[in-house]
Amino acid sequence: MSIPNEALQKLVQEIETQAITAQREINVVKAAVASKQRDVRMLELTATEVKQLSTNTKIYEGVGKMFMFTPTDDVQTRLSSETAELKSDISSLNKKLHYLETTHKNSREHIDHIFKSGGRQ
């Protein structure tokens, strides 16, 4: 049994649209992962620098147009919590990336299968 050309064309267009959308989202997710990894490296570097400071060193953080004194322990706690949050975000983005890559691969395989079978089911 053969599928009519119009239905086959519509099916191929839908699958191709899904593949293109998945590819776009893959690029967005990869950029987000790279950005968050860069932020993690910056936070880890800052945390290393803060740990190397002596205990009586005063640390000031920018707040708007001014700087406020912040205890070293508070800075280290904030840096570690931000790092953990970013790593969690990276983990969830990697899961989303895996899903999107699988979707894209499956869409391409379906299109190839349709073309190879010539519309026969």
Side-chain angles (χ1 to χ4, degrees):
M1 183 172 150
S2 176
I3 299 175
N5 281 342
E6 297 84 27
L8 185 61
Q9 185 177 7
K10 184 177 179 182
L11 180 64
V12 168
Q13 283 178 341
E14 287 178 15
I15 294 173
E16 192 168 12
T17 302
Q18 184 181 15
I20 290 169
T21 303
Q23 185 62 46
R24 283 188 191 137
E25 287 184 33
I26 286 171
N27 292 337
V28 169
V29 170
K30 283 183 179 179
V33 167
S35 173
K36 290 191 184 287
Q37 286 175 336
R38 201 171 27 258
D39 291 345
V40 166
R41 283 194 302 269
M42 290 292 289
L43 287 171
E44 288 173 345
L45 178 63
T46 303
T48 321
E49 293 291 325
V50 168
K51 286 178 186 175
Q52 291 176 357
L53 297 174
S54 64
T55 55
N56 59 356
T57 304
K58 293 186 178 187
I59 297 177
Y60 294 88
E61 290 187 300
V63 180
K65 292 185 177 181
M66 61 186 233
F67 294 92
M68 292 186 62
F69 170 73
T70 307
T72 307
D73 293 338
D74 291 351
V75 172
Q76 289 176 342
T77 303
R78 181 184 60 78
L79 290 173
S80 64
S81 68
E82 285 181 22
T83 302
E85 182 179 331
L86 283 172
K87 286 182 179 180
S88 170
D89 290 348
I90 289 170
S91 174
S92 65
L93 284 171
N94 281 330
K95 289 177 186 175
K96 182 177 181 179
L97 181 63
H98 177 71
Y99 168 77
L100 290 170
E101 287 173 341
T102 303
T103 301
H104 183 263
K105 183 180 94 133
N106 288 341
S107 296
R108 288 293 166 202
E109 287 175 357
H110 290 320
I111 289 172
D112 290 343
H113 178 71
I114 289 171
F115 286 139
K116 286 178 183 174
S117 68
R120 289 176 268 119
Q121 287 290 328

